[in-house]
Amino acid sequence: MTETAAQTLDTAISQIPSADALPNGDSTSLRSLCATLHAQIAAFLQEDVPTETLRSVQAQTKKSLEIIQKTLDRYPLHTLSLSYNGGKDCLVLLILYLSLLSTHPSLPPALPAIYIPPSHPFTSVTSFTLSSATHYHLNLDIHSADESPRGGMKEAFASYLSRNTAVEAIFVGTRRTDPHGGKLSGEGFDVTDGGWPRFMRVHPVIEWHYVEVWAVRIYPAPFPTLHTFPE
């Protein structure tokens, strides 16, 4: 990461209050947030929505929830993490993930997550990523690909996993049209290969289309944070 990029990231981080200073920095508030999102998702799925696109969003939401629930059935919560960059796909995934945690028997104060910032970040996007991570109770572990010994996403994930040895599966917001997305399973689960550190990639929004992601941005709950996503 260049000096300018590092300064941009440091500036954005300095502007985000610590979790201890926020009312959402404990497990009780996390459960309350999850319960609210669960109710909003349930109401959305039962709604008679006005357009075919939103009906597609409802269908995609159900498929994504099934994949996330399968993940929660297979893995203890402390072995799960989320690859988060503040993007719209990741936000949809995160909100759906949280909505299924409202009845989980044991919630931590914050959920494990990894953030790999781009080489040339925009301050507004970085600030949004960090503030939304705080709002949604993510324990965001920042790993720069450029600062890895060999530089790259693989090395950033390897570094993260070496420091978080309990993690076995990581939620990713990859869609089918993303680079390498065409090679991923439609079932939502793929073990890493090709020299990547070993973990299960879970991609619940793999079949979402661009128009569906943007449809929820201009629609009310259950995806309110997308309405403030920086242009």
Side-chain angles (χ1 to χ4, degrees):
M1 181 179 292
T2 65
E3 182 177 357
T4 300
Q7 290 172 344
T8 298
L9 181 60
D10 290 342
T11 298
I13 292 174
S14 70
Q15 295 172 350
I16 305 301
S18 67
D20 293 339
L22 296 172
N24 67 356
D26 61 82
S27 58
T28 302
S29 293
L30 173 57
R31 188 176 301 281
S32 176
L33 171 66
C34 292
T36 297
L37 292 172
H38 178 81
Q40 291 176 337
I41 294 291
F44 171 67
L45 291 178
Q46 295 174 5
E47 186 176 350
D48 184 13
V49 291
T51 69
E52 185 61 36
T53 297
L54 287 172
R55 285 189 284 275
S56 294
V57 172
Q58 288 177 322
Q60 294 284 24
T61 296
K62 292 177 182 178
K63 293 177 184 177
S64 296
L65 290 173
E66 289 176 0
I67 294 172
I68 296 170
Q69 187 59 60
K70 286 180 181 179
T71 307
L72 293 171
D73 292 341
R74 295 179 184 179
Y75 295 92
L77 188 59
H78 73 277
T79 68
L80 298 176
S81 185
L82 168 75
S83 179
Y84 186 69
N85 62 9
K88 295 178 289 298
D89 303 340
C90 283
L91 272 170
V92 169
L93 166 58
L94 172 58
I95 290 170
L96 295 178
Y97 176 33
L98 291 172
S99 76
L100 289 180
L101 294 180
S102 61
T103 59
H104 195 278
S106 180
L107 291 181
L111 299 170
I114 175 175
Y115 171 42
I116 304 176
S119 299
H120 304 286
F122 293 100
T123 301
S124 60
V125 175
T126 302
S127 296
F128 179 83
T129 301
L130 298 176
S131 61
S132 61
T134 299
H135 175 74
Y136 285 118
H137 300 262
L138 295 183
N139 179 16
L140 205 60
D141 200 330
I142 301 175
H143 285 255
S144 171
D146 291 344
E147 292 175 356
S148 301
R150 294 175 57 190
M153 297 283 286
K154 293 181 184 179
E155 288 72 24
F157 274 103
S159 175
Y160 173 72
L161 292 170
S162 70
R163 291 163 46 182
N164 298 271
T165 55
V167 173
E168 298 178 15
I170 300 178
F171 287 107
V172 294
T174 303
R175 291 189 296 111
R176 184 67 67 195
T177 55
D178 292 337
H180 310 295
K183 300 178 181 179
L184 297 177
S185 165
E187 299 299 317
F189 298 89
D190 285 276
V191 177
T192 53
D193 55 13
W196 280 71
R198 185 175 177 82
F199 62 90
M200 179 65 75
R201 292 171 291 181
V202 185
H203 34 86
V205 298
I206 184 68
E207 303 297 354
W208 282 63
H209 300 289
Y210 182 82
V211 66
E212 293 161 344
V213 175
W214 274 94
V216 299
R217 186 176 189 270
I218 62 175
Y219 197 66
F223 303 100
T225 313
L226 270 73
H227 306 165
T228 59
F229 188 84
E231 297 289 352

